Amino acid sequence: MFLCDVFAAFWFPPCVFCRNVLLWMENLTAVTPLTEPIVFELEGFYVPPGFGPFLFFLALFAYLVVLLGNGVVVCVIVMDKNLHRPMFVMVCHLLVCDLLGATAVLPHLMMHFLMGQKRIAYTPAITQAFSVHTYGAAVQTILAAMAYDRYIAVCEPLRYHTIMTSARLHSCCALAWFFALLLIAVLFAFHMKVPLCGRTILHVYCSNRGILSLGCIPTPANDIYGLSMTWTLSTGVFLIVAFSYIRILRVSLKLDRVCSKAFQTCASHLIVYVVYQIAVLIIVVSYRFPSTSPNLKKFFSMVFIIIPPAINPIIYGLITKDLRSSIFKQFTTQVCHKK
């Protein structure tokens, strides 16, 4: 994903950077650009003999947890008209984004573990990379929109329904997706004129940097744009979240009676935001230690795609009373109908 890849590249020690340059030079297996059809080979994990099926079931279990958890919450929000409120609509968008990120990576990873499948054609590779990067960007923009919604709900409770109308709600969600897609579309536009001379992607999944590292020519424009976009987006989202919760904290301290309500409505969003930042931080820190095994670094790069999507439904289900009650209600109703 572009956020983690660019952060990691920015924090690489010089020796690691030199090693990557040497690997890039070794990867240029052909003097002339590759011709169609282009088929890449992912380096993937090193799987000890006999461990493939076990790792496959672990990846399958993680994917099922993501599918069931996010799928159940999304279905409950869609079915229960009482949850057709801005907060839950944005939660629904966030969980759909989580499904996008997990689906882009985990099915191919399961094939890698079960059958040793590492080859991936050019179009599926670009699709996977685009989906993973969109997931990384959309998570940020949707969380920013959710922070704005929580700020209005707590700091302007009497005007909340006037400000956060249905039209504005859908505009915020559409703008979050459009902004993320636009940023990533521009990022991948750099691929159009870059001839490729290598086939081996030194990662578990395809990414913008992983594919362009196989280019026959340097891509400084992509590097500059990627780094600028990452810092601008991450900093902008952080400022929006920080501003919103500083104002929420001030209101809560002035009005003690608001504290409990403010906690219930904002705690889930804040925890989710912190979980995402911790997942990114783990990736960045892992690249600060060159002695870390390649398998461990690759595993850490998967944390951002597996852990937040797996625990987000649990966070919202446990902390948000209305959502928790609706899940129990829907489950009880279905059980009664079957009887």
Side-chain angles (χ1 to χ4, degrees):
M1 69 220 66
F2 81 94
L3 291 173
C4 301
D5 289 342
V6 175
F7 272 131
F10 182 80
W11 289 104
F12 271 172
C15 59
V16 178
F17 175 77
C18 294
R19 180 174 62 84
N20 283 350
V21 171
L22 292 175
L23 288 173
W24 173 76
M25 294 175 66
E26 292 175 359
N27 220 348
L28 303 185
T29 56
V31 177
T32 57
L34 301 176
T35 56
E36 297 288 348
I38 298 176
V39 178
F40 298 118
E41 183 165 345
L42 290 164
E43 185 181 51
F45 287 101
Y46 167 71
V47 181
F51 278 80
F54 172 70
L55 295 175
F56 164 78
F57 282 111
L58 285 182
L60 177 62
F61 175 75
Y63 190 45
L64 289 177
V65 169
V66 172
L67 284 180
L68 291 176
N70 290 274
V72 166
V73 174
V74 169
C75 289
V76 168
I77 293 175
V78 171
M79 294 171 59
D80 191 345
K81 293 183 179 180
N82 294 325
L83 298 180
H84 292 181
R85 288 176 273 167
M87 175 183 175
F88 297 107
V89 172
M90 290 183 179
V91 167
C92 193
H93 280 271
L94 181 66
L95 299 186
V96 169
C97 184
D98 288 341
L99 288 172
L100 171 67
T103 302
V105 174
L106 289 178
H108 193 276
L109 183 64
M110 287 187 284
M111 296 299 293
H112 164 49
F113 288 144
L114 186 63
M115 304 176 62
Q117 178 64 40
K118 295 184 179 182
R119 295 166 66 86
I120 181 170
Y122 180 80
T123 300
I126 291 294
T127 302
Q128 183 186 60
F130 190 89
S131 299
V132 172
H133 288 236
T134 300
Y135 161 72
V139 162
Q140 299 278 335
T141 55
I142 293 173
L143 286 174
M146 295 175 72
Y148 169 73
D149 173 69
R150 293 300 85 205
Y151 162 71
I152 299 298
V154 176
C155 298
E156 299 287 345
L158 299 180
R159 300 176 55 223
Y160 177 72
H161 295 290
T162 303
I163 297 175
M164 190 57 69
T165 60
S166 178
R168 179 164 294 184
L169 165 64
H170 295 300
S171 296
C172 287
C173 295
L175 186 61
W177 281 104
F178 174 78
F179 190 59
L181 288 169
L182 178 63
L183 290 176
I184 303 307
V186 173
L187 182 71
F188 276 77
F190 290 98
H191 287 257
M192 297 178 63
K193 297 182 179 180
V194 178
L196 302 176
C197 293
R199 296 184 183 274
T200 304
I201 298 176
L202 305 177
H203 210 334
V204 181
Y205 52 83
C206 301
S207 65
N208 170 66
R209 188 67 262 159
I211 295 175
L212 285 185
S213 65
L214 307 178
C216 304
I217 58 175
T219 55
N222 179 273
D223 297 337
I224 293 172
Y225 173 79
L227 183 60
S228 302
M229 176 183 60
T230 299
W231 281 108
T232 301
L233 181 61
S234 300
T235 304
V237 171
F238 172 77
L239 291 176
I240 292 174
V241 173
F243 170 80
S244 300
Y245 280 94
I246 288 173
R247 293 297 301 271
I248 289 172
L249 182 61
R250 288 181 178 177
V251 171
S252 300
L253 292 176
K254 289 181 180 179
L255 303 173
D256 293 337
R257 59 186 177 83
V258 181
C259 287
S260 177
K261 182 180 179 180
F263 176 79
Q264 292 177 0
T265 57
C266 302
S268 55
H269 171 264
L270 190 57
I271 292 174
V272 168
Y273 176 77
V274 171
V275 167
Y276 276 111
Q277 297 307 313
I278 291 175
V280 173
L281 182 62
I282 290 174
I283 299 174
V284 174
V285 171
S286 70
Y287 280 102
R288 290 290 292 170
F289 297 93
S291 59
T292 306
S293 69
N295 261 8
L296 191 58
K297 288 181 180 179
K298 293 170 187 175
F299 171 75
F300 285 145
S301 71
M302 299 294 298
V303 168
F304 187 78
I305 296 175
I306 297 176
I307 301 302
I311 67 175
N312 282 350
I314 300 174
I315 293 173
Y316 284 111
L318 291 178
I319 296 181
T320 310
K321 182 180 178 180
D322 292 343
L323 181 57
R324 184 172 65 250
S325 301
S326 182
I327 292 174
F328 286 138
K329 179 182 176 182
Q330 294 293 336
F331 178 76
T332 304
T333 303
Q334 293 297 326
V335 171
C336 291
H337 282 320
K338 289 183 179 180
K339 290 181 178 180

